[in-house]
Amino acid sequence: QKEVEQDPGPLSVPEGAIVSLNCTYSNSAFQYFMWYRQYSRKGPELLMYTYSSGNKEDGRFTAQVDKSSKYISLFIRDSQPSDSATYLCAMNGGGSYIPTFGRGTSLIVHP
Amino acid sequence: KAGVTQTPRYLIKTRGQQVTLSCSPISGHRSVSWYQQTPGQGLQFLFEYFSETQRNKGNFPGRFSGRQFSNSRSEMNVSTLELGDSALYLCASSLVGTGHYEQYFGPGTRLTVT
């Protein structure tokens, strides 16, 4: 079992939909959680980061962490075609500075 | 504040050659990590440098090496290139040590080995 699991998709939704992207993990030492967006042939861009459990909102994006279930989510409200990208989750903790990344979920928002 | 910069952006090399990639981190960031990204394997960690010392290393052969300079700029070198080394090489910097562990990535260097 991989340390971080993420469905590769693709996830295809109509413009304006609410998107839910998820990752599960196995290492209970993880405390710091990040979401990155990566457009084709570009470097990943940090979208959100959260510490420990709870929610964090930034504009149309909401990051949610449930440490008891070892499950994190990224919600995108009012999705736009420009949101079409690959979304990677990453997490670290337990004394390690190096994040462990999921494989990424490909999101397609069609007009 | 300027982001992470990487040079060159694109490279085409022949099998057996060597290559050096460069990364300039965000000002004030002392940790620089390198990753290899391929469609089949995703993001794979190569190594991390902090204050000119390699602090963490991934599972890559010795042909992959790196270094960090006193101004935190970093280089990675790949010797005896193989076709399988074709990938996007990403550099990420981090403000480690102050409770911040998030990494900021550069645009990457796309290496093609023929």
Side-chain angles (χ1 to χ4, degrees), chain B residues 12-13 19 42 51-52 57 64 75-76 95 102-103 108:
Chain B
I12 300 176
K13 291 285 188 178
V19 66
S51 292
E52 302 179 67
K57 189 177 187 308
F64 292 82
E75 288 182 347
M76 70 162 277
L95 190 62
E102 65 274 19
Q103 293 188 334

Side-chain angles (χ1 to χ4, degrees), chain B residues 11-28:
Chain B
L11 265 179
I12 300 176
K13 291 285 188 178
T14 305
R15 267 182 305 174
Q17 287 186 314
Q18 76 162 21
V19 66
T20 299
L21 313 180
S22 181
C23 170
S24 291
I26 292 171
S27 177

Side-chain angles (χ1 to χ4, degrees), chain A residues 2 32 34 36 38 40-46 49 51 88 92 96-99 101-103, chain B residues 33 35 37 39-43 45 48 55-56 90 96 99 101-107 110:
Chain A
K2 282 187 172 289
Y32 213 69
M34 292 153 276
Y36 290 85
Q38 185 174 23
S40 181
R41 305 181 82 81
K42 304 285 187 186
E45 171 196 6
L46 180 65
Y49 62 92
Y51 177 73
L88 300 110
N92 57 11
S96 172
Y97 297 123
I98 306 304
F101 284 84
R103 291 291 299 274
Chain B
S33 297
Y35 294 84
Q37 188 177 40
Q41 299 296 322
L43 262 175
F45 172 71
E48 183 231 2
R55 189 165 62 173
N56 291 282
L90 292 159
V96 178
Y101 301 105
E102 65 274 19
Q103 293 188 334
Y104 295 86
F105 283 85
R110 184 160 297 279

Side-chain angles (χ1 to χ4, degrees), chain A residues 39-59:
Chain A
Y39 291 113
S40 181
R41 305 181 82 81
K42 304 285 187 186
E45 171 196 6
L46 180 65
L47 277 178
M48 306 274 291
Y49 62 92
T50 55
Y51 177 73
S52 197
S53 284
N55 292 0
K56 184 174 182 178
E57 189 173 318
D58 184 2

Side-chain angles (χ1 to χ4, degrees), chain A residues 2 6 10 14 17 23 31 34 41 55 59 68 83-84 100 105 107 111:
Chain A
K2 282 187 172 289
Q6 189 175 9
C23 288
Q31 294 181 290
M34 292 153 276
R41 305 181 82 81
N55 292 0
S68 62
D83 295 327
S84 299
T100 299
T105 298
L107 171 66

